[in-house]
Amino acid sequence: MIDKILSKLEHKNIAILGFGREGKATYKFIRKYLALQSLTIIDRIDVSKDDLLAGDKKTFVISGDNYLDGLDSYDLVIKSPGISLKDIDTTNVNLTSEIELLLEVAKDKVIGVTGTKGKSTTTSLIASILKENGLKVILAGNIGIPVFDRFDEVDEDTVFVLEMSSHQLEYLNVSPHIGVVLNLFEDHLDHAGSVEHYHNIKMNMFKYQEDDDYMVYCQDNISLKNKILENKFKGKKYDVDIESKSAKTYLDDGKVYYDGNEVFDISLKRNLLGIYNFKNIMVAYTVSKILLLDDDKTFKAIAEFKPLKYRLELVGEINKVKFFVDTLATIPEATKESIEALENVNTLIFGGMDRGISYEGFAEYLENTNIEHFICMPTTGHTIGNNLPHERTFFVETLEEAVNMAKKVTKENTICLLSPAAASYEQFKNYAEKGDKYKEYVLR
């Protein structure tokens, strides 16, 4: 597998576009196997003093405001997912990525998972199920692990389970052997430009599949169902539904059916809360059936799987109040699902960066819940809070203020939930930093 990838890289004029986590993984991979090949690293920030590049006279750095000029002068541009090219003409640019290079040589070994929400949990759960069934698995992708960082572990039996964001799907020309799309909501408009384009990008998970590939998707998500109907995808369709009996895997009266046969029910032992997580379990189970895995081992993996950090994670219980962190909930739909999963939320902390997504109806939804205290953070929280009942609403500027307020107002034997319904970038580097700060303030 490595030799096949190297054959695509050697003797080429290569640029690595973006020198963050994935760009550095690409650099280390190339340097390990092609030590003398000339490389160019392109990034807005000048990375020439990075310790990783010390003494490397075969690598050149391009940076500055015009760093994206001249991309068409390279044989191959290996793009990092964080670099936006929405205003760049890429017609004559030979773009690729770590994931595309892997797919080109070993797509039959790849399970790809995407969706606006739930992809980290579902990707991790599928990987856990495969491992419990004795398969050699590499979990990588948007979950924070570059593919090339794990190549030392690869052999001919390795299966890759990849979380794939819209950024990683956008320029793909190959789709995974088993593709999973969980849902489509409004998100990432700052990058994609429109909801339509964002949803079309997600469909690259299925677009290049052949007749012997598999499509797993949730047909009860209307936007996703419509996209499937609009396109003539070739893959075998394995749909999942919690509302209709027409699907391959469906929920009916608390029982899950696969291919018409009852396979488990809502009482299945699990740590994942809420109906949306139960649907993620149904999706992961469907993948296990495609792979002909053992049900008992699959159910054992599901029972032992713990929620991911920052996704309905219990921080601790302080003065008889349970504090949950849910900073991966970056759209209102995810926050709604979390509120309904926990059921006993007394205080909600929400708000973050305004990326132009719609919050229509969100204030009305919150007002009709049993939540007594809404703690609103900039910027979206302040906007939404203006439409909430004054006596239940508190406006703060910082997360520390929000936690201190929550400790004062939240009733005993209830829950305080941080679930932003927005991105964290305005005050924090990412959702993880915001989640860690919340934990620090709660436990102080």
Side-chain angles (χ1 to χ4, degrees), residues 280-335:
N280 293 339
I281 289 170
M282 291 170 62
V283 168
Y285 179 79
T286 302
V287 173
S288 79
K289 298 308 288 182
I290 292 172
L291 296 171
L292 304 176
L293 302 183
D294 179 81
D295 274 5
D296 290 338
K297 292 178 180 177
T298 294
F299 295 144
K300 182 175 184 291
I302 292 169
E304 294 177 352
F305 185 81
K306 298 291 194 302
L308 301 182
K309 289 178 70 175
Y310 317 114
R311 187 64 175 125
L312 274 192
E313 179 189 359
L314 176 62
V315 176
E317 186 169 345
I318 312 293
N319 297 328
K320 298 184 179 179
V321 173
K322 290 181 178 178
F323 288 81
F324 281 82
V325 58
D326 190 38
T327 47
L328 272 169
T330 57
I331 59 172
E333 289 81 5
T335 295

Side-chain angles (χ1 to χ4, degrees), residues 64-81:
D65 292 341
N66 300 317
Y67 75 113
L68 294 176
D69 291 352
L71 293 180
D72 56 357
S73 64
Y74 299 93
D75 297 330
L76 202 61
V77 177
I78 306 176
K79 179 184 173 298
S80 299

